[in-house]
Amino acid sequence: HRLVADDAVDIKRVSNKTLVGSAPELIRYFMEIRGIGIIDVRRIFGTGAIKMTEKIDLIINLRKWEDGKVYDRMGEEQSYEEILGLPIPALEVPVRPGRNLAVIVEVAALNNRHRRYGYNAAEELARKVDLRADMGSGIGQST
């Protein structure tokens, strides 16, 4: 992980399909951690822990977990949000105590990268299940 910005991000459209985010100069390198306060990420972790700009290719909306609400479990349909006229893939991730948000965000980013390169795990699983059903075998049987 590398920090671009905490809380506020300047977003620029740099081409017909690319957005880039950067930290406003005033808060660059600084991060607030509740219970600790303001830290200077560059001084504590070094310049390798920060990045001046980064392409924006995924929006992750963290929402408080609602009991009884039905959440997407397969990830088959892709949602988008528009920023500066460009559609950006977007996820809604329900959060509650005990969920490791750093790991969830990292997995979401890696999965998004796989999708950009043409691999969709939900589609692959569905294809395998369909193939197994067509063969007339039970899912529990080993191959």
Side-chain angles (χ1 to χ4, degrees):
H1 298 88
R2 295 195 298 170
L3 175 72
V4 173
D6 183 38
D7 291 339
V9 178
D10 287 335
I11 300 173
K12 293 179 184 168
R13 185 173 171 164
V14 296
S15 75
N16 288 334
K17 56 183 180 176
T18 304
L19 298 175
V20 172
S22 63
E25 187 176 348
L26 180 65
I27 63 169
R28 190 168 295 145
Y29 314 127
F30 294 100
M31 174 185 268
E32 177 223 346
I33 301 175
R34 304 269 163 107
I36 295 174
I38 304 297
I39 66 166
D40 184 328
V41 173
R42 183 176 58 170
R43 287 187 184 262
I44 291 175
F45 296 103
T47 57
I50 55 108
K51 196 160 187 187
M52 296 303 289
T53 64
E54 185 57 60
K55 179 181 172 187
I56 297 171
D57 56 18
L58 179 64
I59 298 167
I60 302 174
N61 295 301
L62 304 176
R63 305 274 190 238
K64 184 177 179 183
W65 184 283
E66 295 179 37
D67 287 332
K69 183 174 179 177
V70 177
Y71 294 104
D72 181 11
R73 296 183 55 158
M74 293 295 290
E76 291 179 294
E77 294 193 22
Q78 181 69 64
S79 297
Y80 293 86
E81 291 185 24
E82 192 172 295
I83 299 177
L84 299 176
L86 294 179
I88 306 297
L91 299 173
E92 180 175 321
V93 176
V95 298
R96 62 181 174 187
R99 296 194 87 193
N100 188 328
L101 294 183
V103 170
I104 290 170
V105 168
E106 183 168 5
V107 167
L110 292 170
N111 192 53
N112 183 61
R113 181 176 4 169
H114 281 275
R115 283 179 169 219
R116 278 195 332 267
Y117 291 122
Y119 178 77
N120 184 314
E123 290 175 0
E124 176 71 11
L125 177 59
R127 185 190 64 75
K128 286 182 164 191
V129 169
D130 289 346
L131 183 61
R132 180 66 57 96
D134 288 346
M135 291 178 6
S137 300
I139 289 177
Q141 296 178 354
S142 63
T143 55

